[in-house]
Amino acid sequence: MTSQPNASDEPTARADEQRDETPADAGETGPADGPDAADGEPEIVDGRTIEHLLTDHERDIASTAEGTDATAAKRPSLDLPRLELGRRDFMKAGAAVGAMSGLAGCTSILADEDDDSGGAAGSGEHSVAPGEHDEYYGFLSGGHTGEIRVVGLPSMRELMRIPVFQTESARGYGHDAKSSRMLEEEGDGHVWGDTHHPRVSQTDNDYDGRWLFVNDKANGRMARVDLEYFETDAITNVPNCQGVHGACMQLPDTQLVFGVGEFRVPMPNDGRDVQSPDEYGSVITAIDPETMDVEWQVEVDGNMDNGDGGKEGRWFFATGYNSEEGTTEGEMARSDRDYVKAFDIPAIWDAVESGQYEEISGVPVVDGTKDSPLNEGDRPIVRYVATPKSPHGVSVTPNGKYAIASGKLDPSCTVIDIEAIAEVDDPQDAIVGQPRIGMGPLHTAYDGRGHAYTTTFIDSEVVKWDYEAAVEAEAGSEEPVVDRHDVHYNPGHLIAAESYTASPQGDYLVSLNKLSKDRFLPVGPIHPENDQLFHIGDDDAGMQLVKDKPSYPEPHDASIVHKDKIDPAKTWDPDDYELEYVAEGEESFERVDDSTVEIEMWARRNEYAFPEVTLREGDEVRLKISNIETTSDVIHSIAIPEYDINLALAPQDTREVTFTADQPGVFWAYCAYFCSALHLEMRSRILVEPSA
Ligand code: CUK
Ligand code: CUA
């Protein structure tokens, strides 16, 4: 996959070349051979098959990467018949030329020349002046940084980061006793996570601003962030599954939080069945949002992927790939259809309550595989709806009528009638629409006016379509599409303001693009991603690209919540934590025994209660400290060098840490938050006397 698109190639020649790369060949040749090794019978490419486009797409990524050297940057454009291509357009050209080989239409891709892609600066109407506040909170996952990022919309200014699965010294997360205990006990000491899907709790199908839940795809956990303090307050280690990928809730009132298990593994994964992939399983997990306890799990066939809850509380949908239950890429992408699974939540509860489960790792696991007795009869617990092909995103329309799944390896989205799911004998009859969206559809968001917006990874577009029109139209029709807009480049998720509620705001949408290529100043070989803001409030004007925001790798999904629905604390309320506040005059230093010391102290501008602390080598020290400031934004910390400690202390907050003073010497504990003119003087001398 090293060849650059050849300027002299006719589009038709390229198309022939692609036809040689049949899906079957791609599966058999293996990664080392690359696409050129395929020499099977030419196959007429069916419009619904895109393996050749994927191959082409990979090649274009390679060639564009080559184009980032200085020489290539000077090359203004590359001539192809009918197409004037700059470097930026390579990706699209690959997709468009490929598309021409397989499809009659798709002229819109070629025609859409004016794509507003001009600059990174925001347009005036959608900017936020210095000192003014944004309209929305955007909560973006941080992917393999393990965190949540908070941005304001429409400015796209990053406001805060919330560490979830990783330690973060600036917030003292993983430094103080409570957060380290949480990371230790619910993560077996893992130091990172992979957050994908941040979902904000709802009451009556609207954001209540209480919590945000987010998955850990790496180490199979679900976390809860308290949105009063913007702080992770609970983590649950989910048994019987390797990665929790999709995350969503039972609505309308966040009765349960669901984690969708992705990788199939033995259950429990304790060394049994390692050589028997047939025995591996994949589960969804239901978690109580208050206690964060795992209530039950349901095992299914195949891999699962993303999930979304219906608005009325009965159904929960998960997409899946690998219904083949293969273990290699070739095996996983063989079938033309995989399943959207519709979970009947009350029926699952019935099974749990009547003891129809197997307890694995202390959790009731209900059998939801296709052959399960619980899927016979007139109230199956899981209905398997076959959709093309490796469906990825699934999201329920704001009115609760449809679940829409994106084809990923098929250009269509599948519209499933949620009410019909309960009524039809054959789950396939619940499919009421299958519009053709574009190449590589991944995720869908809503504006509340009947439009769906779907990202197409390969076409690099956001496609706006009318989902009722899709129900009326023939399967495979492009007619429901009302607008399409380039993004830069290769989008994964997109999210519209309050799209996951029953009443989206309909004004803004963010496309989370995986590749930024030459969109920003170069910063070395790892590029930022590109989050692009669209104004979608004017259906006549169409989607307007308003802003580019480079993003540290790598946000997947986001939730956008109106500012009036979040009520963050300005200072801590000592009633909200377990530790007792240490007021001025209550400071104490107590030697409990020969090797144990307990210190309770406070911090304020520009001092600690104790300017000096004397310890003995080997002392176990329990240090509790309160920030006794009442003024908001006056934050202190206590950093203790050599002991890897930095406690961040917001006003009225109290934190605790235990460490062993095993290093004799003098250590200046200091405040790491620049808090006042005398900040540099804010310190305490810690003397650790050698043990004779
Ligand atoms: S997934 Cu990342 S682009 Cu984890 Cu929701 Cu689709
Ligand atoms: Cu307190 Cu700097």
Side-chain angles (χ1 to χ4, degrees), residues 429-441:
D429 294 340
I431 295 178
V432 294
Q434 217 150 45
R436 181 192 178 83
I437 302 301
M439 293 302 173

Side-chain angles (χ1 to χ4, degrees), residues 276-409:
S276 317
D278 288 353
E279 299 297 319
Y280 300 176
S282 175
V283 291
I284 63 150
T285 303
I287 296 168
D288 181 305
E290 299 271 349
T291 63
M292 289 296 280
D293 291 338
V294 173
E295 295 282 352
W296 41 256
Q297 295 182 313
V298 179
E299 186 186 353
V300 298
D301 289 319
N303 262 71
M304 284 184 289
D305 198 358
N306 279 282
D308 199 19
K311 303 292 186 211
E312 81 309 318
R314 174 162 174 192
W315 296 99
F316 159 68
F317 300 89
T319 51
Y321 57 104
N322 193 19
S323 47
E324 304 86 343
E325 302 196 340
T327 56
T328 62
E329 183 201 323
E331 289 168 6
M332 289 189 216
R334 205 177 283 142
S335 14
D336 279 338
R337 274 159 206 274
D338 288 275
Y339 295 97
V340 172
K341 286 138 190 147
F343 296 85
D344 188 334
I345 302 164
I348 294 166
W349 272 118
D350 284 350
V352 172
E353 275 154 17
S354 58
Q356 299 178 77
Y357 60 79
E358 184 187 350
E359 192 172 307
I360 307 177
S361 315
V363 173
V365 180
V366 181
D367 184 1
T369 58
K370 274 199 228 154
D371 298 334
S372 164
L374 291 168
N375 280 333
E376 286 162 7
D378 52 4
R379 189 81 190 255
I381 61 167
V382 184
R383 309 217 76 184
Y384 286 69
V385 186
T387 71
K389 170 183 186 176
S390 297
H392 181 64
V394 60
S395 53
V396 172
T397 54
N399 59 13
K401 258 176 102 172
Y402 307 113
I404 295 179
S406 309
K408 190 171 83 178
L409 302 186

Side-chain angles (χ1 to χ4, degrees), residues 60-80:
D60 283 331
I61 288 179
S63 65
T64 319
E66 282 167 25
T68 52
D69 66 35
T71 326
K74 284 184 199 124
R75 183 178 57 226
S77 68
L78 185 81
D79 292 325
L80 280 180

Side-chain angles (χ1 to χ4, degrees), residues 111-379:
D112 188 13
E113 303 205 287
D114 179 16
D115 66 354
D116 308 6
S117 64
S123 83
E125 213 186 318
H126 306 288
S127 67
V128 179
E132 291 198 353
H133 285 189
D134 279 291
E135 197 66 13
Y136 296 104
Y137 287 95
F139 297 96
L140 279 66
S141 59
H144 34 112
T145 60
E147 67 194 3
I148 294 291
R149 289 87 180 263
V150 187
V151 301
L153 266 69
S155 75
M156 301 289 271
R157 298 178 295 201
E158 185 173 288
L159 306 174
M160 185 43 70
R161 294 180 173 201
I162 306 170
V164 181
F165 296 113
Q166 88 282 27
T167 62
E168 168 58 82
S169 47
R171 298 195 54 159
Y173 187 75
H175 288 238
D176 74 301
K178 186 188 170 205
S179 59
S180 349
R181 204 182 312 126
M182 196 162 63
L183 289 171
E184 188 61 40
E185 286 172 9
E186 297 297 335
D188 302 329
H190 296 305
V191 296
W192 73 291
D194 190 3
T195 56
H196 284 218
H197 302 106
R199 297 292 180 99
V200 173
S201 58
Q202 300 190 28
T203 300
D204 201 13
N205 280 314
D206 197 4
Y207 290 130
D208 58 23
R210 215 174 151 198
W211 290 314
L212 177 149
F213 299 94
V214 69
N215 71 299
D216 174 11
K217 167 163 164 156
N219 295 308
R221 290 174 286 180
M222 183 73 77
R224 185 178 71 192
V225 172
D226 173 336
L227 287 182
E228 187 181 358
Y229 292 106
F230 279 54
E231 186 171 289
T232 305
D233 77 340
I235 297 178
T236 294
N237 200 353
V238 176
N240 304 324
C241 94
Q242 179 189 308
V244 173
H245 184 222
C248 62
M249 297 161 314
Q250 185 183 14
L251 297 173
D253 300 314
T254 317
Q255 301 96 307
L256 288 171
V257 179
F258 296 114
V260 183
E262 186 172 359
F263 304 97
R264 298 175 70 252
V265 286
M267 295 165 45
N269 198 4
D270 59 0
R272 74 186 68 191
D273 297 332
V274 291
Q275 296 289 2
S276 317
D278 288 353
E279 299 297 319
Y280 300 176
S282 175
V283 291
I284 63 150
T285 303
I287 296 168
D288 181 305
E290 299 271 349
T291 63
M292 289 296 280
D293 291 338
V294 173
E295 295 282 352
W296 41 256
Q297 295 182 313
V298 179
E299 186 186 353
V300 298
D301 289 319
N303 262 71
M304 284 184 289
D305 198 358
N306 279 282
D308 199 19
K311 303 292 186 211
E312 81 309 318
R314 174 162 174 192
W315 296 99
F316 159 68
F317 300 89
T319 51
Y321 57 104
N322 193 19
S323 47
E324 304 86 343
E325 302 196 340
T327 56
T328 62
E329 183 201 323
E331 289 168 6
M332 289 189 216
R334 205 177 283 142
S335 14
D336 279 338
R337 274 159 206 274
D338 288 275
Y339 295 97
V340 172
K341 286 138 190 147
F343 296 85
D344 188 334
I345 302 164
I348 294 166
W349 272 118
D350 284 350
V352 172
E353 275 154 17
S354 58
Q356 299 178 77
Y357 60 79
E358 184 187 350
E359 192 172 307
I360 307 177
S361 315
V363 173
V365 180
V366 181
D367 184 1
T369 58
K370 274 199 228 154
D371 298 334
S372 164
L374 291 168
N375 280 333
E376 286 162 7
D378 52 4
R379 189 81 190 255

